Amino acid sequence: MIASLLLLLPLLGAALIAFGPAGRRDVAGARAGSRTGPRWIAAVCTLVTAAVGVVAAMQFEGWRDGSFGLHAGVDWLADLGITLNMHVDAVSLLLILLTLLLMPLCIFASFSAITARQREYYGWLLVLQAAMTGVFLARDLVFFYICFEFTLVPMYFLIAIYGGENRARAALKFFIYTFTGSMLTLAGLLWVAWAHADRLGTWTFDIPTLTAFAQSGLSSGEQAWILLALMAGFAVKVPLFPVHTWLPLAHTEAPTAGSVILAGVLLKLGTYGLYRFVLPMVPDAVVAYAPFIAVLAIVGIVYGALICWVQDDVKKLVAYSSVSHLGFCVLGLFALNPIGVQGSVLYMINHGLSTGALFLLIGMMYERHHTRDMNRIGGLARVMPVWSLFMVFFVLSSVGLPGLNGFVSEFYCLLGAFTASVDAQTGYPGRLGPWYAAFAGTGMILAAMYLLIMTGKVVFGPTHLPGGHGHGGGHGGGHGGGHGHAGHAGHAADAHGDGAALPPDLTRREIGVLIPIALLCIVLGVRPGLLTDALARPIEQALAASAAASAAATVARPQDADTGGGASGHAEGTGDDLPRADAADATGDVVRERVRG
């Protein structure tokens, strides 16, 4: 029941907003501060849902043993094996808690930025929350895909209506890229379901059932095609180089809350899909192509960092940094060992906190000064000391300063790649090695350079502020790059007007939005074991098939060199299943002991 509430409460809030009272600005001026309008309905709804999430976390019994809990669901189309089943493990529950944390903060951060079309804005945010939560709850393939794909709709409207000057182009590019990739992923997943029905005689869309079938019932060639289909959708969502080009524009043009949700949660739908489907479902293909995918991740790390280095727009710089940072996340996943995957899951959470906070700070700066150009604004430490304190803190978190949350994530991802060896006796089998970690590590150096250079200019440089704002007809999302659009239907109200009424430095509301994220960055930096202990068992289970395939490929390698055979260890009729299982048993205890120790 509690899992159902996590999904239904945001939808109930969206319905109340749709049929409830209009925002005060929409009828007679939002600055009157009504507490019955859409923004307060959304705020209360997200806070109640967050409280339910805390109760769910306290009741969840799988923190230590990696089991699934909080079961809920009903049969939908039983004849086709389609259900609305909802379960969570530690990984999915942590991502749900991240969603439940960021959403009320985004709502409160939008109070002064969004004064036009409030019903649509807050309603779409709540629908988006429900869809994202559904992705992490789903244990049925059809239910998962419905939620996964439906996230496109509210985010499209949030960008297209409340975004910046190029909002229409950004929203369309976002939709086309992600929708096209998701259709290919759907085709691959449906093929697995069809193969199960064709060979075993029953239709089912239960994710664990299809995963077990794909591991043992598909040949290496079939797994390779399924891997390609799954990567088509999940890699775009991450985004992985070279299908990343939609992200910087969408980030830059989205309203502040849209950018925070994109960085904090939506991108993690891609990495979560890689973790939940790719690693366990097609282990032989993953082992064969892990080095190639890791190379793409490393190219994205370095390329994104170099692009950040030459940016003048602060928001665009942080947007491109997500391309670089998420490369570490993918690298950790395809290290195919517990340390790397733990680092990747930690990165999903920590990137959402640090980068989400940076987008919040950039939005707060833009509301006051209506520019994000580092050539037009600088020395804010003298004008906005509290804002500057938070800015420096979250930059250091994003850089990976030891003692803050970002360091542990990057270190684990690099350590996972470094120790990923074809020698199964190490207890950390994989297909990468030290050179992958060395090249990826240059991204950490470049990240420190571009983020600290940006901080030096905006926070500590010579004080200069843009004069004569003149933004009486600014965008509803407060991100129009300083261009008025009073005649646009979605921007009839002046969102910049509230910026003029804001004090020079942060308000108590804005400080209250940032403090929870800052505290979590410190806690997770000092005590990462709070998460790694909970992640050990579910990650071990998710990696079991890939570890077995990797060990089998290692055992078969000398024989393959003589016969010219493949290294997949899954060819039918060759007896490869036996060495793969034996090798997995031999290394499993060592892996388990190292993860827990």
Side-chain angles (χ1 to χ4, degrees), residues 6-7 86 96 129-139 143-144 147-148:
L6 295 175
L7 189 66
M86 294 177 282
I96 289 173
Q129 177 179 343
M132 294 186 300
T133 304
V135 170
F136 301 128
L137 286 171
R139 294 296 282 166
F143 182 37
F144 168 87
C147 295
F148 184 84

Side-chain angles (χ1 to χ4, degrees), residues 301-302 305-306 309 324-325 328 398-400 410 414 437-453:
I301 290 171
V302 178
L306 292 175
W309 205 353
S324 183
H325 289 160
F328 285 101
S398 187
V399 164
E410 291 183 347
L414 292 176
F439 283 110
T442 61
M444 296 180 66
I445 300 172
L446 293 172
M449 295 175 67
Y450 66 72
L451 283 171
L452 293 177
I453 290 172

Side-chain angles (χ1 to χ4, degrees), residues 205-298:
F205 292 91
D206 180 64
I207 292 175
T209 302
L210 293 180
T211 299
F213 165 76
Q215 291 174 3
S216 59
L218 299 182
S219 68
S220 299
E222 289 172 322
Q223 286 194 21
W225 283 108
I226 298 302
L227 173 64
L228 179 63
L230 295 181
M231 291 298 297
F234 296 141
V236 169
K237 188 76 80 173
V238 170
L240 184 66
F241 178 90
V243 290
H244 66 285
T245 56
W246 66 269
L247 177 65
L249 183 63
H251 259 322
T252 305
E253 299 302 323
T256 295
S259 297
V260 174
I261 295 303
L262 266 173
V265 184
L266 271 186
L267 304 187
K268 309 315 181 310
L269 301 187
T271 52
Y272 178 76
L274 296 177
Y275 168 81
R276 182 63 69 199
F277 290 94
V278 174
L279 295 188
M281 186 172 281
V282 287
D284 295 334
V286 165
V287 169
Y289 293 99
F292 174 72
I293 298 172
V295 168
L296 294 180
I298 293 170

Side-chain angles (χ1 to χ4, degrees), residues 89-96 272 275-276 345 348 534-535 538-539:
D89 64 356
V91 174
S92 52
L93 184 53
L94 284 173
L95 291 170
I96 289 173
Y272 178 76
Y275 168 81
R276 182 63 69 199
V345 176
M348 296 182 203
L535 295 173
I539 285 175

Side-chain angles (χ1 to χ4, degrees), residues 73-85 139-146 190 193 202-207 210:
V74 295
D75 290 339
W76 185 23
L77 299 174
D79 293 340
L80 294 177
I82 301 176
T83 62
L84 299 180
N85 282 338
R139 294 296 282 166
D140 178 88
L141 189 60
V142 174
F143 182 37
F144 168 87
Y145 187 79
I146 289 173
L190 288 179
T202 58
W203 279 97
T204 182
F205 292 91
D206 180 64
I207 292 175
L210 293 180

Side-chain angles (χ1 to χ4, degrees), residues 74 108 115 162 175 179 197 221 262 270 287 294 306 342 350 399 463 468 534 565 570 583:
V74 295
F108 284 111
T115 55
Y162 304 93
F175 190 89
F179 179 77
L262 266 173
V287 169
L306 292 175
Q342 278 189 351
N350 290 330
V399 164
T463 302
H570 194 71

